[in-house]
Amino acid sequence: MKNTVLEVNTKKFLNNINKIQSYIGSKTLIPIVKANAYGTYINKNLSILNHFSIVAVAEVHEAIEIRKLGYLKEIFVLIYSN
């Protein structure tokens, strides 16, 4: 079986985010970074997360991981589970 690799160019990613923000104006852009940001691991990159005033995760343990990285802004938890 072949291994699959996903490479994310962070400069292009941030450029795309800036373009999206220019289209939506002053509205808040909230990235969903659950499940390791769908396999991109952007949720582990504090320099990218800090471009957003709020990020969303699926579960509380994901929010805790992001806090431990040093993300101090708002985190929206989509699913609460005990």
Side-chain angles (χ1 to χ4, degrees):
M1 178 160 54
K2 265 181 124 173
N3 288 332
T4 302
V5 176
L6 171 68
E7 292 183 20
V8 177
N9 182 316
T10 55
K11 288 180 183 177
K12 289 183 179 182
F13 176 84
L14 290 174
N15 184 56
N16 289 343
I17 294 302
N18 290 332
K19 281 191 178 219
I20 292 168
Q21 192 67 60
S22 74
Y23 294 134
I24 66 172
S26 62
K27 294 179 178 74
T28 302
L29 184 61
I30 305 173
I32 310 297
V33 293
K34 68 181 209 69
N36 288 321
Y38 298 96
T40 64
Y41 291 90
I42 287 172
N43 61 317
K44 308 286 187 201
N45 189 326
L46 189 59
S47 66
I48 289 181
L49 293 179
N50 278 327
H51 281 84
F52 302 97
S53 60
I54 182 172
V55 298
V57 296
E59 298 181 8
V60 172
H61 71 89
E62 294 172 317
I64 292 169
E65 287 178 25
I66 290 172
R67 277 285 183 251
K68 286 181 180 178
L69 285 175
Y71 184 77
L72 301 175
K73 300 172 187 175
E74 290 187 65
I75 301 173
F76 183 80
V77 180
L78 299 168
I79 302 168
Y80 174 78
S81 59
N82 291 329

